Amino acid sequence: MQSPDINNIRSRAKGFTLIELLMVVAIIGILAAVAIPSYRNNLLVSRRAEAKSVLLQVASDQERFYSSNNTYSTNALPLAAPPVATRASDNNFYIVTVAACGAGIATCFTATATPQGDQVADACTTLTLNSLGARGATGASVEECWQR
Protein backbone atom coordinates (compact mmCIF):
# COMPACT_ATOMS: atom_id res chain seq x y z
CA MET A 1 0.00 0.00 0.00
CA GLN A 2 1.36 3.32 -0.99
CA SER A 3 0.99 6.33 1.33
CA PRO A 4 -0.29 9.55 -0.23
CA ASP A 5 2.17 12.36 -0.64
CA ILE A 6 1.41 14.81 2.18
CA ASN A 7 2.82 17.78 0.25
CA ASN A 8 0.36 17.20 -2.62
CA ILE A 9 -2.59 17.09 -0.24
CA ARG A 10 -1.52 20.30 1.48
CA SER A 11 -1.03 22.16 -1.80
CA ARG A 12 -4.54 21.26 -2.97
CA ALA A 13 -6.19 22.17 0.38
CA LYS A 14 -5.03 25.80 0.53
CA GLY A 15 -7.59 28.65 0.41
CA PHE A 16 -11.28 28.73 -0.41
CA THR A 17 -13.02 27.66 -3.56
CA LEU A 18 -14.86 30.16 -5.71
CA ILE A 19 -18.20 28.61 -4.77
CA GLU A 20 -17.48 29.02 -1.07
CA LEU A 21 -16.59 32.69 -1.57
CA LEU A 22 -19.73 33.30 -3.65
CA MET A 23 -21.89 31.71 -0.96
CA VAL A 24 -20.39 33.97 1.71
CA VAL A 25 -20.94 37.06 -0.46
CA ALA A 26 -24.55 35.99 -1.12
CA ILE A 27 -25.24 35.48 2.60
CA ILE A 28 -23.75 38.88 3.45
CA GLY A 29 -25.86 40.47 0.70
CA ILE A 30 -29.06 38.91 2.03
CA LEU A 31 -28.29 40.00 5.59
CA ALA A 32 -27.52 43.55 4.42
CA ALA A 33 -30.73 43.72 2.39
CA VAL A 34 -32.71 42.97 5.54
CA ALA A 35 -30.67 44.86 8.12
CA ILE A 36 -30.00 48.20 6.40
CA PRO A 37 -33.65 49.25 5.82
CA SER A 38 -34.54 48.19 9.36
CA TYR A 39 -31.65 50.22 10.74
CA ARG A 40 -32.65 53.30 8.74
CA ASN A 41 -36.25 53.02 9.93
CA ASN A 42 -35.10 52.76 13.55
CA LEU A 43 -32.97 55.89 13.07
CA LEU A 44 -35.96 57.85 11.74
CA VAL A 45 -38.17 56.74 14.61
CA SER A 46 -35.55 57.51 17.26
CA ARG A 47 -34.91 60.97 15.80
CA ARG A 48 -38.63 61.68 16.08
CA ALA A 49 -38.10 61.83 19.87
CA GLU A 50 -36.01 64.94 19.26
CA ALA A 51 -38.98 66.63 17.56
CA LYS A 52 -41.28 65.73 20.44
CA SER A 53 -38.82 67.11 22.95
CA VAL A 54 -38.37 70.45 21.17
CA LEU A 55 -42.15 70.78 20.69
CA LEU A 56 -42.65 70.33 24.44
CA GLN A 57 -39.93 72.92 25.13
CA VAL A 58 -41.61 75.40 22.77
CA ALA A 59 -44.98 74.79 24.45
CA SER A 60 -43.42 75.37 27.86
CA ASP A 61 -41.81 78.62 26.68
CA GLN A 62 -45.13 79.74 25.19
CA GLU A 63 -46.92 79.14 28.51
CA ARG A 64 -44.27 81.11 30.38
CA PHE A 65 -44.62 83.93 27.83
CA TYR A 66 -48.42 83.81 28.20
CA SER A 67 -48.23 84.07 32.00
CA SER A 68 -46.25 87.31 31.67
CA ASN A 69 -47.96 88.88 28.63
CA ASN A 70 -51.49 87.41 28.59
CA THR A 71 -50.96 86.35 24.96
CA TYR A 72 -48.98 83.74 23.10
CA SER A 73 -46.20 84.55 20.64
CA THR A 74 -45.65 83.51 17.04
CA ASN A 75 -41.96 83.08 17.87
CA ALA A 76 -40.58 79.63 18.62
CA LEU A 77 -38.20 81.21 21.15
CA PRO A 78 -40.38 83.94 22.67
CA LEU A 79 -38.23 84.35 25.80
CA ALA A 80 -35.01 85.04 23.88
CA ALA A 81 -33.81 88.60 23.50
CA PRO A 82 -34.71 89.33 20.75
CA PRO A 83 -37.35 86.62 20.15
CA VAL A 84 -36.54 84.09 17.43
CA ALA A 85 -39.16 82.99 14.89
CA THR A 86 -37.90 79.42 14.34
CA ARG A 87 -36.15 76.93 16.54
CA ALA A 88 -33.96 74.05 15.40
CA SER A 89 -33.83 70.80 17.31
CA ASP A 90 -30.57 69.87 19.01
CA ASN A 91 -29.20 67.91 16.04
CA ASN A 92 -30.98 69.97 13.37
CA PHE A 93 -33.27 67.14 12.30
CA TYR A 94 -36.35 69.37 12.82
CA ILE A 95 -37.26 73.05 12.54
CA VAL A 96 -40.10 74.27 14.77
CA THR A 97 -42.37 77.18 13.91
CA VAL A 98 -45.31 78.64 15.83
CA ALA A 99 -48.52 79.98 14.33
CA ALA A 100 -51.81 81.29 15.65
CA CYS A 101 -54.67 78.85 15.69
CA GLY A 102 -58.19 79.72 14.54
CA ALA A 103 -59.05 81.95 17.51
CA GLY A 104 -55.88 84.06 17.18
CA ILE A 105 -52.50 84.18 18.88
CA ALA A 106 -53.94 85.87 21.98
CA THR A 107 -55.74 82.68 22.97
CA CYS A 108 -53.99 79.74 21.31
CA PHE A 109 -51.01 78.58 19.25
CA THR A 110 -49.91 75.59 17.20
CA ALA A 111 -46.25 74.58 17.11
CA THR A 112 -45.15 72.53 14.10
CA ALA A 113 -41.98 70.47 13.77
CA THR A 114 -40.89 69.99 10.15
CA PRO A 115 -38.20 67.41 9.34
CA GLN A 116 -34.91 68.47 7.75
CA GLY A 117 -32.17 66.61 5.87
CA ASP A 118 -32.33 62.81 6.00
CA GLN A 119 -35.31 62.98 8.35
CA VAL A 120 -37.64 63.98 5.47
CA ALA A 121 -37.81 60.26 4.61
CA ASP A 122 -39.76 59.67 7.83
CA ALA A 123 -43.39 58.57 7.47
CA CYS A 124 -44.41 61.33 9.89
CA THR A 125 -43.94 64.40 7.72
CA THR A 126 -44.79 66.91 10.46
CA LEU A 127 -45.58 66.79 14.17
CA THR A 128 -47.74 69.43 15.86
CA LEU A 129 -48.62 70.43 19.40
CA ASN A 130 -51.08 73.16 20.32
CA SER A 131 -51.78 75.24 23.41
CA LEU A 132 -54.38 72.75 24.62
CA GLY A 133 -51.83 69.94 24.49
CA ALA A 134 -53.47 68.28 21.48
CA ARG A 135 -50.96 66.36 19.40
CA GLY A 136 -51.12 66.07 15.65
CA ALA A 137 -49.21 64.59 12.75
CA THR A 138 -49.27 64.41 8.99
CA GLY A 139 -48.13 61.55 6.83
CA ALA A 140 -48.94 58.82 9.34
CA SER A 141 -51.39 58.39 12.22
CA VAL A 142 -51.06 60.52 15.33
CA GLU A 143 -50.74 57.36 17.45
CA GLU A 144 -47.88 56.05 15.33
CA CYS A 145 -46.03 59.37 15.25
CA TRP A 146 -46.44 60.19 18.94
CA GLN A 147 -45.99 56.68 20.36
CA ARG A 148 -43.87 56.61 23.46
Side-chain angles (χ1 to χ4, degrees):
M1 213 167 145
Q2 197 173 4
S3 67
D5 187 4
I6 293 180
N7 289 333
N8 280 340
I9 293 174
R10 285 187 186 158
S11 67
R12 287 186 293 167
K14 288 182 182 177
F16 299 103
T17 66
L18 181 59
I19 293 175
E20 291 171 331
L21 288 174
L22 289 175
M23 289 181 67
V24 169
V25 168
I27 290 170
I28 290 172
I30 291 169
L31 289 174
V34 172
I36 291 172
S38 177
Y39 174 73
R40 286 186 180 157
N41 186 50
N42 285 338
L43 271 180
L44 294 174
V45 171
S46 67
R47 290 175 182 163
R48 214 179 293 153
E50 188 173 310
K52 296 174 202 174
S53 173
V54 75
L55 281 172
L56 292 172
Q57 290 171 353
V58 167
S60 175
D61 289 350
Q62 288 289 338
E63 292 302 330
R64 287 177 54 204
F65 185 85
Y66 185 85
S67 68
S68 299
N69 302 294
N70 206 29
T71 185
Y72 292 108
S73 173
T74 56
N75 295 308
L77 283 165
L79 303 175
V84 180
T86 61
R87 181 176 188 165
S89 61
D90 292 338
N91 294 308
N92 295 317
F93 292 122
Y94 287 89
I95 297 291
V96 176
T97 57
V98 177
C101 60
I105 198 67
T107 58
C108 61
F109 72 90
T110 300
T112 303
T114 306
Q116 304 294 306
D118 292 339
Q119 196 63 21
V120 298
D122 191 11
C124 300
T125 52
T126 63
L127 297 172
T128 61
L129 182 64
N130 69 19
S131 54
L132 300 175
R135 299 170 176 175
T138 59
S141 69
V142 174
E143 293 79 24
E144 181 183 339
C145 293
W146 281 90
Q147 70 182 355
R148 300 196 187 272

